């Protein structure tokens, strides 16, 4: 239901974000792999885990569109209607341990999202057993650097512009009302 995240994220944004933007990443990734049947059996995560191993002619296309597919697949999974609130389960303890408190963690994530110039993402990653906040440009994924994204927030204008226009900070504040901590806990465990 495209309206499921109202009023925090509007239905039209979700419709275009999923139906046009994410769809374009999938279509463009498939097009890039068309002449490379040996790569078609690999998952998108496998493909972006080792970009250097790819033929040079499709490396950028896989980076942008494979990254776009993997990032958005995560994004839909970690949001839900009637969610938000304080973290529960193992992630609550992990965030307290790494950042002092959930409020401090959220503040640092929002700061990272606002500070990303242009298009990109802000992430909570597991980097060799340590939880860290980082941001990436475009559709780059922490997976490309050997890190494991626990959660990420899309700060491309296409994620918020229809409702929030230039007010990325307001979108970030609203976004936390959609976070599905059960899904985040599942990713942490994995
Ligand atoms: Mn997006």
């Amino acid at each position: 239901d495209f309206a499921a995240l109202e009023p925090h994220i509007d239905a039209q944004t979700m419709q275009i974000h999923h139906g046009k933007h994410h769809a374009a990443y999938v279509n463009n990734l498939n097009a890039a792999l068309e002449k490379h049947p040996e790569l078609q059996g690999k998952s998108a995560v496998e493909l972006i885990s080792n970009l250097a191993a790819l033929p040079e002619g499709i490396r950028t296309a896989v980076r942008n569109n494979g990254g776009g597919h993997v990032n958005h697949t995560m994004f839909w999974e970690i949001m839900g209607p009637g969610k938000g609130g304080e973290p529960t389960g193992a992630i609550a303890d992990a965030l307290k341990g790494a950042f002092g408190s959930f409020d401090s963690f959220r503040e640092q994530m929002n700061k990272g999202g606002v500070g990303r110039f242009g298009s990109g993402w802000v992430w909570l990653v597991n980097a060799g057993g340590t939880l860290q906040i980082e941001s990436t440009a475009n559709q780059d994924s922490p997976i490309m650097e050997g890190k494991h994204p626990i959660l990420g927030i899309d700060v491309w204008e296409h994620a918020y512009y229809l409702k929030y226009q230039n007010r990325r900070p307001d979108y970030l504040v609203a976004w936390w009302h959609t976070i599905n901590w059960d899904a985040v806990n599942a990713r942490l465990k994995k």
Side-chain angles (χ1 to χ4, degrees), residues 17 21-22 25 68 72 75-76 121 139 154-156 158-159:
H17 201 170
H21 291 278
H22 188 173
Y25 298 129
H72 286 85
F75 196 53
W76 313 134
W121 292 72
Q139 292 299 348
D154 190 345
V155 297
W156 282 59
H158 69 223

